[in-house]
């Protein structure tokens, strides 16, 4: 059993899945789903459709050349079945897949490094443009008055504590005048 490649998007086509189109000149096209088949029939170019493998490779988003790709090439030589040969082939396939994944990760890391360098000035520009969204908004009027009144009361109580002989005098303000605290009522038991 062989896992084929979709002619349009480059995705895997598993046995029993997808669509196979045979042209009059006996060329076989395999598609993983109807979406790819329809794009092919509409004569769309896979290198210009953003979700295809051809687009990603042509734009430098995925590796285009690597020695591990040679192992994926199709070989039409018939081989006589040999148990040791099959076991060795499977172990080599696993090893090649590990190497390929490691190289793809290194390629992605290198791509993202340059992207991060370009991203920082863009983010600084955006921050400078939209700083008004981050700065705190002015407090509502009543809350500001309440805070001013609390600060004034604190200053007056500190002044009274510093000069115990002087009486505390309240100055009229535009807001409500704070009333001095009354002593608590005696407890009756």
């Amino acid at each position: 059993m062989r896992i084929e490649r979709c002619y349009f998007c480059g995705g895997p086509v598993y046995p029993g899945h997808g669509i196979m189109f045979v042209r009059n000149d006996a060329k076989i096209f395999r598609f993983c789903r109807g979406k790819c088949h329809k794009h092919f029939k509409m004569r769309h170019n896979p290198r210009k459709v953003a979700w295809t493998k051809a687009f990603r490779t042509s734009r430098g988003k995925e590796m285009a050349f690597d020695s591990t790709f040679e192992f994926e090439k199709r070989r039409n030589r018939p081989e006589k079945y040999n148990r040791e040969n099959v076991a060795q082939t499977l172990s080599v396939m696993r090893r090649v897949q590990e190497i390929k994944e490691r190289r793809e990760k290194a390629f992605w890391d290198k791509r993202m490094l340059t992207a991060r360098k370009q991203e920082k000035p863009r983010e600084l520009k955006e921050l400078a443009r939209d700083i008004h969204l981050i700065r705190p908004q002015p407090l509502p009027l009543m809350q500001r008055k309440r805070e001013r009144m609390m600060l004034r009361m604190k200053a007056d109580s500190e002044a009274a504590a510093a000069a115990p002989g002087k009486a505390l005098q309240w100055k009229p303000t535009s807001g409500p005048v704070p009333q001095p605290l009354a002593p608590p009522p005696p407890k009756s038991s």
Side-chain angles (χ1 to χ4, degrees):
M1 295 251 215
R2 184 185 298 255
I3 298 173
E4 302 287 345
R5 289 269 152 213
C6 177
Y7 180 80
F8 193 80
C9 74
V13 181
Y14 295 98
H17 292 262
I19 300 164
M20 186 169 74
F21 170 66
V22 183
R23 207 164 50 189
N24 286 343
D25 61 353
K27 177 147 173 51
I28 298 172
F29 300 92
R30 294 180 192 273
F31 304 102
C32 58
R33 54 188 175 219
K35 177 181 179 180
C36 297
H37 189 211
K38 284 182 180 181
H39 278 283
F40 174 78
K41 287 192 291 187
M42 289 188 284
R43 296 175 183 261
H44 289 171
N45 187 349
R47 286 174 300 198
K48 294 183 180 178
V49 181
W51 48 269
T52 63
K53 186 107 171 153
F55 175 89
R56 294 185 61 77
T57 305
S58 67
R59 295 296 198 290
K61 295 179 182 296
E62 289 186 7
M63 288 192 306
F65 306 105
D66 193 35
S67 60
T68 57
F69 296 155
E70 292 295 318
F71 294 105
E72 291 181 4
K73 284 191 176 174
R74 192 168 173 166
R75 292 167 185 84
N76 291 325
R77 285 175 290 151
E79 295 282 336
K80 190 171 182 183
Y81 177 76
N82 183 350
R83 189 176 186 141
E84 293 86 30
N85 195 6
V86 170
Q88 186 181 7
T89 303
L90 290 174
S91 66
V92 168
M93 285 171 64
R94 277 190 226 101
R95 181 78 178 120
V96 167
Q97 186 63 29
E98 289 171 8
I99 292 169
K100 185 178 174 184
E101 286 172 2
R102 208 169 42 238
R103 287 181 182 177
E104 283 175 351
K105 185 178 182 333
F107 179 80
W108 186 85
D109 288 341
K110 186 177 176 185
R111 254 185 67 227
M112 291 300 115
L113 188 66
T114 57
R116 275 186 230 113
K117 288 178 184 174
Q118 294 171 356
E119 195 174 299
K120 190 170 181 179
R122 187 170 50 235
E123 286 179 352
L124 289 173
K125 183 179 176 183
E126 183 181 350
L127 182 65
R129 185 187 69 210
D130 297 332
I131 192 72
H132 67 280
L133 298 172
I134 299 171
R135 284 196 181 126
Q137 298 298 320
L139 295 172
L141 183 63
M142 287 306 291
Q143 191 174 353
R144 280 184 286 179
K145 282 185 180 180
R146 195 175 308 119
E147 285 180 2
R148 261 191 251 122
M149 183 176 65
M150 295 301 286
L151 288 173
R152 197 173 291 130
M153 285 174 60
K154 185 178 177 184
D156 287 345
S157 64
E158 287 173 0
K166 284 191 161 183
L168 189 64
Q169 293 182 352
W170 288 99
K171 299 174 183 105
T173 61
S174 59
V177 178
Q179 299 295 323
L181 294 173
K187 293 183 178 179
S188 59
S189 47

